[in-house]
Amino acid sequence: MAKTKKRFICQACGSVSPRWQGQCPDCAEWNTLVEDAPATVFSQKHDLSRGGRAVEFVELNTPSELPVRRATGLAEFDRALGGGLVPGSAVLMGGDPGIGKSTLLLQTAATIARSGAPVVYVSGEEAAGQVRMRAARLGLADAPIRLAAETSVRDILTTLGQMEPPALLVIDSIQTMYSDTIEGAPGTVSQVRGCAFELIRYAKENGVALVLVGHVTKDGSIAGPRVLEHMVDVVMSFEGERSHQYRILRALKNRFGAVDEIGVFSMVSEGLEEVSNPSMLFLSGRDQPLAGSAVFPALEGTRPVLVEIQALIVRLQSGATPRRSVVGWDSGRLAMLLAVLESRCGLNFSSAEVYLNIAGGYRLSDPAADLAVAAALVSALADRPLPDRSVWFGELSLAGEIRPVAHASLRLREAEKLGFGMAFGPSDVANGSAKLDYRGMGQVAKLVDRVMANP
């Protein structure tokens, strides 16, 4: 191998010298000669600054035809997507096993196929006969869906290349796909990333709406490399308890719409049914109010949903360490509320077990639920029910103040529509309804006085 020649470049004037010296012979500057990295055959061969094609740039206001969304036939699915499927988009849908992901996508595929658009459904986990059995149970056996049970991405793309690009391509699931150009078993990081890249590239080039079903880990996150969520345009989560009939479709990432919209479905024997009024799912139909129960108008995107918050306080006589059990809410926020009620209102929860539950298996993350949770806790502690047909909302600060929340008017309108006559919340909310009696509270101490005074 030929010896690589060294060269020294002056950092002041840029002159090149074959050997190092203290003073540059051209500009007379001292200690400016620095050895340059030699140009090897490898670096010249892998230099990416030349040899490619020029990239065409466009202006943001360049007139072009925008893609038209395609309705899925399920209004709740369209709501969560932001208005429908966008051609050339990639959607990743995750959810617990048996929650209904395949059922939802099969119903969507059948609706689009019946409208006359070509649909391809590729199942990597089930045989074609199993998918046909589900379709017959759901009454979708007559839908003109092109069904295949295959796991080879090369075979799938080769087949798709010999036919007209479909309007919808469903891959169930991405963890079962494999590429013969990548080493490793299906489901490994390299296989999932490589297979998803090839399928997304096909969808982008041909204007195909691609839906990838993803497995989830035991903590609920989508399995596989995190880069998979960056590659797709929409990440959706299908949530719910299998012991409950409702299901919630939530967008975690959406490049074409809002990420705070949800779609609500009900699982029945004929498949998934849309729920136009989800508040009725999470409210009990009792005739009289009970202690420890408060109704909170939650907000999911532009949709208000009324949910019931239930609290139970059990006094301990033995001096044992009390438990704090929470279902559907943040346990850390419950501890903060208990501290605020003890410090600002003089209530004692230290010798009692506290149980908090969001009815119907609903999960709350809205900070406006603080006041409703506090009302349920105080009602359970005093063993006195809250005012009948009332809703509670507001965020509590550590100083015991009830802070304003977003979209209070939407919450009040939903409560009025469902027949509620009273509402409690921040003091700076304007009530535009004559049928709903709104009472603002500035401090959480007023909540305690209200509950204690209620007969």
Side-chain angles (χ1 to χ4, degrees), residues 109-363:
T111 304
I112 296 178
R114 285 171 174 172
S115 66
V119 175
V120 173
Y121 191 105
V122 180
S123 175
E125 298 181 346
E126 299 176 285
Q130 293 175 302
V131 180
R132 288 198 299 267
M133 288 177 59
R134 180 187 296 113
R137 176 174 57 85
L138 300 176
L140 308 174
D142 59 334
I145 299 176
R146 298 183 179 180
L147 175 64
E150 184 57 56
T151 58
S152 174
V153 175
R154 182 185 295 275
D155 296 343
I156 294 172
L157 294 179
T158 300
T159 305
L160 293 175
Q162 299 173 356
M163 54 184 287
E164 179 186 357
L168 174 64
L169 172 61
V170 179
I171 303 295
D172 187 7
S173 65
I174 187 60
Q175 277 79 11
T176 60
M177 298 292 116
Y178 80 93
S179 172
D180 54 11
T181 62
I182 302 174
E183 295 184 358
T188 57
V189 172
S190 57
Q191 283 284 357
V192 171
R193 183 173 58 240
C195 294
F197 175 77
E198 295 296 334
L199 291 169
I200 293 174
R201 184 174 64 175
Y202 168 80
K204 299 289 185 183
E205 293 177 351
N206 296 274
V208 177
L210 172 66
V211 179
L212 304 174
V213 178
H215 294 172
V216 295
T217 59
K218 59 183 179 181
D219 61 352
S221 59
I222 298 179
R226 193 72 176 182
V227 70
L228 180 61
E229 300 183 30
H230 293 278
M231 294 168 62
V232 299
D233 301 308
V234 182
V235 179
M236 311 200 76
S237 176
F238 207 34
E239 304 172 355
E241 299 291 339
R242 280 184 289 182
S243 57
H244 295 83
Q245 69 177 41
Y246 87 95
R247 303 288 188 270
I248 293 180
L249 183 63
R250 192 185 308 271
L252 306 179
K253 168 190 174 181
N254 195 346
R255 290 174 178 166
F256 311 113
V259 295
D260 50 5
E261 294 287 353
I262 65 170
V264 184
F265 298 88
S266 176
M267 178 64 76
V268 296
S269 59
E270 294 80 14
L272 290 168
E273 290 184 352
E274 301 176 75
V275 178
S276 57
N277 188 7
S279 297
M280 302 306 297
L281 287 176
F282 311 111
L283 294 178
S284 63
R286 62 177 184 270
D287 297 331
Q288 57 184 2
L290 301 175
S293 176
V295 177
F296 166 61
L299 198 65
E300 296 286 353
T302 59
R303 162 179 283 177
V305 179
L306 268 63
V307 297
E308 183 180 359
I309 299 177
Q310 302 169 348
L312 177 64
I313 306 297
V314 180
R315 289 293 182 183
L316 296 179
Q317 302 296 335
S318 60
T321 302
R323 293 185 58 189
R324 302 287 187 264
S325 179
V326 186
V327 177
W329 206 50
D330 184 15
S331 59
R333 202 161 186 87
L334 173 63
M336 184 196 74
L337 284 185
L338 292 176
V340 171
L341 292 174
E342 289 190 359
S343 175
R344 305 300 178 184
C345 303
L347 302 179
N348 183 17
F349 292 94
S350 59
S351 61
E353 292 186 341
V354 179
Y355 299 91
L356 187 71
N357 176 52
I358 309 301
Y362 196 86
R363 293 185 179 92

Side-chain angles (χ1 to χ4, degrees), residues 385-396:
L386 297 174
D388 190 20
R389 307 300 294 173
S390 62
V391 296
W392 305 74
F393 65 94
E395 181 182 358
L396 265 63

